[in-house]
Amino acid sequence: MNGIIMILVAMFCCLLWGSAFPCIKIGYKLFDIPAGDMWSQILFAGIRFAIAGVMVITFSSIGRKKFIKPAQPKRIITLSLSQTIVQYMFFYVGLAHTTGVKSSIITGIGTFLTLLVACLIFKQEKLTSTKIIGSMLGFTGIVLVNVTGNNLDMNMSLMGEGFVLLAALSSAFSSAFIKEFSKDSDVVMLCGYQFFCGGICMAIVGTLAGGKLVYSGPECILLILYMGFISAAAYTLWSLLLKYNDVSKVSTCKFMNPIFGVLLSFVILKEHNALGWQVLAALILVTLGIYIVNQKKEDA
């Protein structure tokens, strides 16, 4: 795939994922979900992912003019666990026991983990100095946009920072699994059914644990449908990018997620204090990191 096209498609995915940041905040208000109500948040996320799965399966079936049946159940379960259930269960529990700043920084470490898992465990590509330098620049941008103007303590806990790190590790493995499975599997089918199965499981767990959503009007439906679309469109495109490109080149673009999140929060939520010089500096660092990683000439 052409490098520029790959980056543009990846940026579109990151823009969609970035829009999830303000949408989640709006969703918590619309569905009357308190900040510390972890199980209602998991229920909310589960419904979103189940809808995403239905969207992928439905629109793909329409496009192919035949219903996409589930196949390779072991692979669906593997992706459902790593990409949806384990990742987001650990993330939401961890987020409830740490700060948003720490969560963003630790999630940024996920790109390093994705690189290491793809290169050292799955042997899908070589670990080069350009990939390491590019990832370091991107991570520096994430730290800059999150730390400047915020207090960052060094306190750590297993259920807080530890769980967020486990969520990032789960995401890293899911990227490697997608790359591996895409060699002889229909990634769109896997994407749709892993979302649906994972979302249903999360919704059941959230409900049984006492989570609940309060319907306040048609805007609730519109929001949850859009959030389903975010996951359906972004993850399907991302899976296709992983199929045809090196994991490192695609995953580095993910450093744009929190930056788009800050920018869209500024536009949508009017969080004027979220936008400052550090966002521009972070954007420059991330862009430079993506450019370095995507250079054709790589060292051995």
Side-chain angles (χ1 to χ4, degrees), residues 24-249:
I24 288 173
K25 292 183 179 181
I26 294 172
Y28 288 170
K29 291 181 180 179
L30 290 178
F31 288 99
D32 193 24
I33 301 174
D37 189 349
M38 177 183 68
W39 298 114
S40 293
Q41 293 168 0
I42 289 176
L43 171 60
F44 179 58
I47 294 174
R48 166 194 173 186
F49 294 135
I51 290 174
V54 171
M55 285 182 172
V56 173
I57 295 167
T58 300
F59 289 114
S60 297
S61 297
I62 293 174
R64 302 180 189 188
K65 297 181 180 179
K66 65 176 183 179
F67 180 71
I68 300 178
K69 297 179 180 179
Q72 300 175 305
K74 289 184 178 179
R75 294 188 173 187
I76 291 175
I77 293 172
T78 298
L79 285 178
S80 186
L81 285 170
S82 61
Q83 173 62 32
T84 304
I85 300 174
V86 174
Q87 180 185 175
Y88 285 98
M89 290 288 281
F90 272 122
F91 182 76
Y92 277 110
V93 173
L95 192 60
H97 292 85
T98 187
T99 65
V101 173
K102 286 184 181 179
S103 296
S104 295
I105 293 173
I106 294 172
T107 301
I109 296 175
T111 299
F112 282 115
L113 295 176
T114 301
L115 178 63
L116 294 175
V117 168
C119 295
L120 302 181
I121 297 179
F122 284 79
K123 309 294 185 182
Q124 293 169 335
E125 55 186 276
K126 292 182 179 181
L127 182 64
T128 65
S129 61
T130 54
K131 293 173 183 177
I132 294 173
I133 293 171
S135 295
M136 288 178 65
L137 286 171
F139 180 67
T140 301
I142 300 305
V143 173
L144 182 63
V145 80
N146 280 282
V147 173
T148 305
N150 293 288
N151 294 319
L152 183 67
D153 61 72
M154 298 305 293
N155 296 325
M156 300 288 176
S157 70
L158 175 61
M159 289 191 65
E161 295 77 15
F163 275 20
V164 175
L165 184 60
L166 287 174
L169 181 61
S170 180
S171 177
F173 271 93
S174 75
S175 293
F177 283 135
I178 293 168
K179 180 70 175 179
E180 199 68 23
F181 295 164
S182 66
K183 296 175 182 178
D184 56 0
S185 296
D186 181 348
V187 291
V188 176
M189 178 277 296
L190 291 177
C191 176
Y193 281 101
Q194 75 86 9
F195 262 140
F196 180 74
C197 295
I200 292 296
C201 288
M202 289 181 69
I204 291 174
V205 170
T207 300
L208 293 177
K212 62 179 180 178
L213 304 180
V214 178
Y215 178 77
S216 60
E219 61 271 18
C220 293
I221 303 298
L222 293 176
L223 179 74
I224 200 72
L225 286 176
Y226 174 69
M227 294 192 69
F229 169 76
I230 290 174
S231 297
Y235 187 70
T236 300
L237 290 173
W238 198 262
S239 298
L240 292 172
L241 288 176
L242 288 171
K243 177 180 176 69
Y244 297 108
N245 300 276
D246 288 344
V247 174
S248 59
K249 293 183 177 182

Side-chain angles (χ1 to χ4, degrees), residues 18 21 145 257-267 271 274-275 279:
F21 286 85
V145 80
N257 285 5
I259 296 178
F260 277 131
V262 170
L263 293 173
L264 291 172
S265 293
F266 172 79
V267 174
E271 293 181 350
L275 199 63
V279 176

